[in-house]
Amino acid sequence: IFDPYTYDPILNQFRLTSGGADKVVGMSPMLQDRLVVLCRGSVHLIDGISGSLDDTVQTEITREIGCVARKTIKEIGSTVMWLSDQGVYTISYGDELNLRANAVPISEPIENYIRLINWEYAEDSVAVYNDDRYYLAVPLGSSKVNNAVFVYNFLNQGWESVDTYPAEMDIFDLVIAPKDGVNQVFIMSRGGALHLHSNKNGQDEYEVY
């Protein structure tokens, strides 16, 4: 420890996208002993991760879709959801071969908002899953910080709101915590403030907590 010149060799290691400039952004488990590896410009699937890694099988699913931000990767049942340069994508057990360049992102209905994302700062985007909803915070327009939250409702199979906030909110993270006996979504600003993201009269709002 703290000695950069002495190390122990790590067994059971392997490389993805060897020889390329692509980098691993994040990973997520899937059913049937699988692992989805999301790189900046590609998506990979690894089978057989519970035993020796010598027995794993790597499959490159696509080089047309990647992942922009690690904290947007969420496992929701048998589905993995994340933000890519082309929008929000999902992959479920059994449909990985359908994830190709011609695949339609789940965010297509709000494509006009997706185009407004400031991609230069999108790597700081964050997401959380709660109460059958996927909450995604991104920087919109010229904002350099996350100032908008997209909400996807899995029960209705659609986007139910796009909420924008003042830039000074600077959404650093979205967290789940209990309030009044129910898990709620809280917005954490970079300055340390905590806000409750609530739905009142059909409108999403935030209040200081």
Side-chain angles (χ1 to χ4, degrees):
I1 299 177
F2 303 124
D3 182 355
Y5 303 104
T6 302
Y7 62 92
D8 292 326
I10 300 175
L11 302 177
N12 291 332
Q13 60 179 313
F14 51 86
R15 293 179 179 271
L16 293 168
T17 65
S18 181
D22 206 0
K23 66 176 182 179
V24 175
V25 176
M27 298 173 286
S28 179
M30 285 190 73
L31 294 176
Q32 300 296 323
D33 203 21
R34 290 175 156 188
L35 183 71
V36 177
V37 181
L38 297 151
C39 297
R40 188 60 183 84
S42 60
V43 180
H44 304 260
L45 185 67
I46 302 177
D47 281 291
I49 60 172
S50 63
S52 170
L53 296 190
D54 292 333
D55 301 324
T56 58
V57 177
Q58 300 180 44
T59 304
E60 183 182 89
I61 298 177
T62 179
R63 290 188 181 183
E64 303 298 330
I65 300 168
C67 180
V68 173
R70 179 181 61 83
K71 286 189 174 183
T72 65
I73 305 171
K74 295 299 170 183
E75 180 193 8
I76 306 165
S78 62
T79 299
V80 178
M81 198 168 184
W82 74 93
L83 176 66
S84 77
D85 292 296
Q86 292 80 25
V88 180
Y89 277 87
T90 63
I91 181 174
S92 299
Y93 176 75
D95 73 349
E96 60 271 7
L97 295 180
N98 295 324
L99 191 61
R100 293 292 183 264
N102 59 353
V104 177
I106 198 172
S107 58
E108 184 184 35
I110 57 169
E111 180 62 25
N112 55 325
Y113 289 101
I114 295 296
R115 292 178 180 176
L116 294 177
I117 294 177
N118 188 345
W119 295 107
E120 184 177 355
Y121 298 92
E123 65 179 11
D124 291 327
S125 298
V126 296
V128 75
Y129 175 77
N130 182 62
D131 192 25
D132 297 311
R133 290 173 173 85
Y134 176 80
Y135 297 80
L136 173 65
V138 297
L140 279 190
S142 60
S143 177
K144 297 180 181 180
V145 299
N146 296 328
N147 65 335
V149 176
F150 302 161
V151 183
Y152 182 83
N153 190 316
F154 274 84
L155 294 180
N156 299 331
Q157 294 293 299
W159 297 89
E160 65 180 20
S161 68
V162 175
D163 309 315
T164 56
Y165 300 95
E168 54 267 23
M169 278 282 289
D170 191 354
I171 303 173
F172 174 71
D173 206 355
L174 299 174
V175 296
I176 304 297
K179 183 180 185 298
D180 299 329
V182 179
N183 283 339
Q184 301 275 13
V185 175
F186 288 85
I187 296 173
M188 182 181 296
S189 69
R190 194 172 298 275
L194 196 62
H195 306 269
L196 172 64
H197 185 284
S198 60
N199 185 290
K200 295 182 179 179
N201 301 319
Q203 298 293 323
D204 286 322
E205 302 176 0
Y206 73 94
E207 55 190 63
V208 178
Y209 181 67

